């Protein structure tokens, strides 16, 4: 990660103002204030939907879109679901690191076998 943030490629390009292509973003790690905002989302006047909370979080943590500076909430809302999910995943990577350790259990009651796996956000 650089001082300005971590590069987060967008799976689907968005055509921005004047035909520019938005292909990546820079995201910064969560701070304690961001975590506080998430914990108090209802008290801070969000409409209570997950989408509005995600938009508020991205508005705080997306430093730039394709080098064009901080995006407006309207631009963040216009991103497709996959791009918003990718930004959240890269925000998690910027905050907690690239590794995601997982444990899955076979749903068959006769089996119940555990599977431990590690995923990489970066690819």
């Amino acid at each position: 990660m650089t001082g300005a943030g971590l590069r987060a490629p967008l799976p689907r390009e968005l055509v921005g103002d004047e035909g520019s292509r938005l292909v990546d973003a820079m995201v910064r790690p969560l701070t304690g204030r961001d975590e506080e905002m998430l914990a108090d989302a209802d008290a801070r006047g969000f409409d209570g939907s997950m989408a509005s909370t995600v938009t508020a979080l991205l508005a705080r943590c997306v430093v730039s879109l394709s080098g064009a500076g901080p995006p407006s909430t309207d631009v963040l809302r216009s991103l497709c679901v996959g791009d918003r999910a990718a930004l959240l995943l890269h925000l998690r990577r910027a905050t907690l690191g690239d590794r995601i350790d997982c444990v899955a259990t076979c749903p068959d009651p006769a089996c119940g076998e555990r599977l431990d796996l590690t995923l990489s956000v970066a690819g």
Side-chain angles (χ1 to χ4, degrees):
M1 186 163 110
T2 67
L6 179 139
R7 182 180 173 276
L10 299 176
R12 185 168 179 256
E13 293 180 2
L14 176 72
V15 178
D17 296 337
E18 302 169 12
S20 62
R21 298 234 178 247
L22 305 176
V23 297
D24 64 1
M26 294 296 285
V27 296
R28 65 162 178 80
L30 287 175
T31 65
R33 289 183 189 255
D34 299 323
E35 292 174 2
E36 183 179 82
M37 180 274 298
L38 289 171
D40 297 335
D42 290 335
R44 294 184 182 264
F46 299 128
D47 67 10
S49 73
M50 182 63 71
S52 66
T53 302
V54 166
T55 300
L57 181 63
L58 292 177
R60 294 170 73 105
C61 298
V62 174
V63 177
S64 70
L65 273 178
S66 291
S72 68
T73 54
D74 288 338
V75 168
L76 292 168
R77 273 190 214 99
S78 71
L79 294 173
C80 71
V81 172
D83 285 345
R84 288 167 57 93
L87 287 173
L88 289 175
L89 190 58
H90 287 289
L91 180 55
R92 187 235 180 254
R93 177 172 67 120
T95 304
L96 300 173
D98 182 56
R99 261 176 77 136
I100 301 174
D101 294 319
C102 305
V103 177
T105 304
C106 179
D108 183 349
C111 177
E113 188 74 26
R114 281 178 36 130
L115 173 67
D116 296 311
L117 65 144
T118 299
L119 304 173
S120 169
V121 175

